[in-house]
Amino acid sequence: MSDTETTSAPAPEAPNARRWPILGLLGLAQLMLILDITVVAIALPHMGAELDLDRAALTWVVSGYALTFGSLMLLGGRAADLFGAKRVVLAGLAVFTAASLAAGLATGAPLLLAARIVQGVGAAMLSPAALSVVVRLFDGDERNRALGIWSALGGGGAALGVLLGGLITAGPGWTWVFFVNVPVGLIVLVTLARMLPDLPRVASGSLDVPGAALVAAATGALIYALIRGGDHGWLNTGTLALFAVSAIAYAVFAVWQRRAAAPLMDLRLLGRRPVVAGVFVIAVATALMVGVFFLGSFYLQNHQDQGALMTGVLFLPVALVTMAAATASGRVMGRLGARALAAVALVVAAAGFLVPVLWSGTAVMVTGVSIAAAGLGALFVAASATALGSVAPHEAGVTSAIVSTFHEFGASAGAAVVSSAAAASIATGTGATSAAGFDHAFLTATAIAAVSAAVAVWLIPSTNE
């Protein structure tokens, strides 16, 4: 865009001396956002019993957060470019922390659902702004290492949330899945306010409110369609109508962006091969990760009669393997390249998905999911490095938001697809029909990983030009 500055980022010439501690704090804040999905999911039965919530309300406790989070991230990324990443990071963290306190104090569905939506607003501000800070503070091989750590926290956080959700729910109670965010959020907020540098604003002009409303409506409709498709069927009239609304809204958004004086994003970003490849891989990685966690949790609880707490404990090695693989991949990324790393990671994931199909039992399930998680942890790094590896400073906020948005698309699609494939397993819980349903779902994940490996080799450029 003509109103941007492209020479204001100091990272390549003078790396910030506090960049690694800042990365740790931003990663902890991002971990809170990721944990808040799986931790809350584990606590849902207890919430429902205590607050007398029906099935629809319980669904919206999770979906309301995911919808708001996913649909507003482009707005959050653009705000970081316009108003300064530090300001948006701190504002988003403050909103998320305050909403967490309100959610823990909720005595009924209205306040709980409202607090979850506000949590999503804070998360949509914080996540893309924080990632844009990481992209601007690090460069070259250091950026790959930083993205590896960022990916480790994001990928491992989903599995870690299963464990923490079980521990918190069985211990102090479900309210603490929200209350725990308050002291952590305040400590991180105060520390970041002192440590974060005032990175120069990299865009000027006003916020494109009509464009933000259009893309929020389009993204929200698409995520809701993906969620609804798993519950009501992909050819259900309501599901198809949501897909149609999303497509129309995106089309109108594209037309508006060409006419707006200060557009929300430069649509030419979506024509760059590295960005397209990166968002494809991040969507696949997240879909497979969320899908396999969903499958593994239901398999262990419904088919192997494990309790919520034991299921969480069994997911601990999955979290550790994911984090270790992502961190290691960030260190070797420069030597392997994103294309080779993504292909190998997807093949490893496909092999892991096959393990529960060929054999059965709790130990086999944990082993297979752990192998798959190792591949997916590395895949997150390849995706982030591909999409963000060569963006200009004035593009960091919006590109980070695009990556984060496709992360949410993948999460919604993964849960919807595997829940449809394993519908019999989830409904019956035991018996031959259940086992066959789980096999079908894991074979579906295997096929997606294998096909995606071929697509990644074709789509990811040899260098991020």
Side-chain angles (χ1 to χ4, degrees):
M1 301 176 194
S2 60
D3 60 352
T4 58
E5 301 172 17
T6 60
T7 60
S8 57
E13 297 83 7
N16 189 287
R18 293 180 171 181
R19 63 194 181 281
W20 292 107
I22 289 172
L23 173 64
L25 290 167
L26 291 175
L28 180 57
Q30 174 72 4
L31 183 62
M32 290 169 57
L33 310 185
I34 302 300
L35 287 175
D36 227 55
I37 297 175
T38 48
V39 167
V40 170
I42 295 297
L44 282 179
H46 295 265
M47 284 185 208
E50 187 168 326
L51 299 182
D52 193 27
L53 304 178
D54 59 20
R55 180 183 175 278
L58 287 174
T59 299
W60 278 104
V61 169
V62 176
S63 299
Y65 175 74
L67 276 170
T68 313
F69 189 1
S71 62
L72 294 179
M73 273 192 286
L74 270 176
L75 180 60
R78 178 61 174 167
D81 290 341
L82 281 173
F83 307 125
K86 177 178 181 178
R87 186 176 298 178
V88 176
V89 164
L90 297 179
L93 183 54
V95 170
F96 180 83
T97 303
S100 297
L101 177 62
L105 295 173
T107 55
L111 179 56
L112 179 59
L113 295 179
R116 287 292 282 165
I117 290 172
V118 177
Q119 274 189 309
V121 173
M125 297 169 65
L126 172 58
S127 185
L131 184 53
S132 73
V133 171
V134 174
V135 172
R136 294 178 65 188
L137 287 182
F138 295 89
D139 191 60
D141 288 340
E142 274 200 348
R143 181 183 287 180
N144 290 333
R145 290 175 59 195
L147 290 174
I149 294 171
W150 183 269
S151 301
L153 293 171
L160 192 60
V162 180
L163 171 61
L164 292 179
L167 290 173
I168 293 173
T169 304
W174 69 265
T175 56
W176 279 91
V177 303
F178 299 115
F179 285 149
V180 73
N181 292 330
V182 179
V184 177
L186 289 175
I187 291 171
V188 174
L189 180 65
V190 171
T191 310
L192 280 177
R194 297 174 56 191
M195 294 182 64
L196 263 183
D198 289 315
L199 295 172
R201 301 179 190 181
V202 291
S204 60
S206 59
L207 197 61
D208 179 15
V209 176
L214 283 168
V215 79
T219 306
L222 179 55
I223 293 175
Y224 187 34
L226 293 170
I227 294 171
R228 183 182 174 89
D231 292 334
H232 301 281
W234 299 103
L235 298 180
N236 175 269
T237 302
T239 303
L240 293 176
L242 285 167
F243 279 123
V245 168
S246 177
I248 293 170
Y250 275 126
V252 175
F253 170 73
V255 172
W256 172 256
Q257 291 307 280
R258 290 184 171 89
R259 296 182 177 181
L264 185 67
M265 65 174 291
D266 185 350
L267 292 178
R268 289 174 297 182
L269 277 173
L270 298 177
R272 295 185 190 173
R273 188 174 173 185
V275 175
V276 173
V279 297
F280 167 77
V281 175
I282 198 74
V284 170
T286 311
L288 292 173
M289 178 73 77
V290 171
V292 77
F293 288 171
F294 184 92
L295 280 178
S297 178
F298 268 98
Y299 179 87
L300 292 173
Q301 293 188 66
N302 289 11
H303 196 64
Q304 295 294 320
D305 297 322
Q306 303 289 346
L309 180 57
M310 181 53 65
T311 297
V313 172
L314 290 170
F315 265 82
L316 180 59
V318 179
L320 296 176
V321 167
T322 305
M323 292 181 176
T327 303
S329 297
R331 293 180 178 274
V332 303
M333 175 77 184
R335 294 194 296 272
L336 288 180
R339 178 189 292 174
L341 180 61
V344 171
L346 283 163
V347 170
V348 170
F353 295 140
L354 270 180
V355 172
V357 178
L358 300 176
W359 301 278
S360 62
T362 297
V364 169
M365 170 63 70
V366 173
T367 300
V369 172
S370 297
I371 293 171
L376 296 176
L379 194 60
F380 280 112
V381 181
S384 299
T386 300
L388 301 169
S390 60
V391 297
H394 70 279
E395 300 167 330
V398 170
T399 309
S400 298
I402 293 171
V403 171
S404 299
T405 299
F406 274 83
H407 184 283
E408 293 306 306
F409 286 163
S412 302
V417 170
V418 300
S419 65
S420 298
S425 306
I426 296 169
T428 60
T430 58
T433 302
S434 176
F438 281 115
D439 287 349
H440 182 209
F442 274 106
L443 284 173
T444 299
T446 303
I448 292 172
V451 172
S452 297
V455 174
V457 170
W458 167 73
L459 188 58
I460 297 176
S462 57
T463 58
N464 292 338
E465 299 175 350

